[in-house]
Amino acid sequence: AQSVTQPDIHITVSEGASLELRCNYSYGATPYLFWYVQSPGQGLQLLLKYFSGDTLVQGIKGFEAEFKRSQSSFNLRKPSVHWSDAAEYFCAVGLTTDSWGKLQFGAGTQVVVTP
Amino acid sequence: GAGVSQSPRYKVAKRGQDVALRCDPISGHVSLFWYQQALGQGPEFLTYFQNEAQLDKSGLPSDRFFAERPEGSVSTLKIQRTQQEDSAVYLCASSLERASGGLTGELFFGEGSRLTVL
């Protein structure tokens, strides 16, 4: 069965420190991969996506992610975290190659940023 | 409007009541999706519209759930005879492009409608 796993439910990071959020997927075909962020009182916002090509993807707000086919992973990174990065982050996979909007989401990782 | 608008933002229903949740997508957006997000979980796909056509409703959990988008703009998700397990945040998302072969792959989400069934 297809699945998206975010192993870390909760991460605490100091402001200015680096951040890495893990995402693993189980999917037969070449997936469409996404990272979304959900801040309190706001809708989900797309950070970045991977469809094909360069496996290192740059996104908004200084985030990047790397697709590693051999590890079935699409980890999200940011070199220096800001207090405004505190939010919940969701990794998602496009379920079918002809319907990328039909997404399967992971359970999310809550990020807390400390001073 | 500037973004996807959902109403009501909060709805409390007694078990057995019918509810209707509305989504106003971004003007001109072709694709519209409904997702259900239970507490502590990621969103789960419910259904998808391209204009007024409902192309995929495979995620609707039961025949108590019904969605429509009659004019290809506003959409309504209706839940009949609500049950406690229906308690969740219902998210609507829209995209300028068709969900097949789209170039940007970006969904724009509303803030959601939180349904609590007592």
Side-chain angles (χ1 to χ4, degrees):
Chain A
Q2 300 157 351
S3 65
V4 181
T5 303
Q6 294 181 245
D8 304 305
I9 296 173
H10 185 276
I11 285 181
T12 298
V13 60
S14 299
E15 191 168 13
S18 64
L19 175 68
E20 181 168 15
L21 304 181
R22 295 182 290 164
C23 174
N24 293 94
Y25 64 89
S26 170
Y27 191 67
T30 301
Y32 292 167
L33 296 162
F34 305 82
W35 276 98
Y36 278 85
V37 60
Q38 188 174 40
S39 299
Q42 298 185 21
L44 287 156
Q45 181 182 22
L46 179 68
L47 285 176
L48 47 77
K49 63 184 184 286
Y50 172 78
F51 277 18
S52 65
D54 192 346
T55 56
L56 185 62
V57 180
Q58 301 298 320
I60 63 171
K61 303 184 179 185
F63 284 92
E64 67 177 25
E66 186 171 13
F67 170 56
K68 293 185 177 181
R69 187 186 305 275
S70 61
Q71 299 177 19
S72 297
S73 70
F74 189 55
N75 293 349
L76 181 72
R77 298 192 293 255
K78 185 168 184 177
S80 178
V81 168
H82 187 262
W83 64 266
S84 61
D85 294 323
E88 187 149 26
Y89 292 80
F90 292 93
C91 179
V93 174
L95 290 179
T96 65
T97 55
D98 64 352
S99 181
W100 55 260
K102 183 178 178 179
L103 301 177
Q104 182 165 356
F105 285 84
T109 298
Q110 184 72 46
V111 172
V112 173
V113 180
T114 59
Chain B
V4 178
S5 177
Q6 294 188 244
S7 61
R9 291 291 314 281
Y10 302 92
K11 175 69 177 179
V12 179
K14 292 183 179 179
R15 189 163 58 93
Q17 282 185 330
D18 297 347
V19 299
L21 308 177
R22 176 188 169 103
C23 173
D24 277 280
I26 295 173
S27 178
H29 277 200
V30 170
S31 298
L32 186 145
F33 297 80
W34 284 99
Y35 283 82
Q36 180 191 58
Q37 186 175 17
L39 187 65
Q41 300 297 317
E44 292 191 358
F45 171 82
L46 293 177
T47 185
Y48 154 58
F49 291 86
Q50 182 174 303
N51 297 309
E52 69 279 3
Q54 189 175 21
L55 299 187
D56 190 332
K57 54 182 181 179
S58 60
L60 295 177
S62 77
D63 59 7
R64 297 186 295 104
F65 287 71
F66 172 77
E68 60 182 4
R69 193 187 185 197
E71 297 179 357
S73 178
V74 171
S75 178
T76 304
L77 176 67
K78 298 179 180 178
I79 309 173
Q80 297 177 324
R81 305 180 303 281
T82 54
Q83 304 294 317
Q84 285 189 326
E85 61 263 27
D86 300 335
S87 295
V89 177
Y90 291 86
L91 299 172
C92 177
S94 69
S95 175
L96 182 62
E97 300 170 26
R98 298 176 300 160
S100 173
L103 298 178
T104 68
E106 181 165 8
L107 295 181
F108 294 84
F109 282 84
E111 295 180 38
S113 293
R114 181 179 296 277
L115 172 65
T116 301
V117 182
L118 303 178

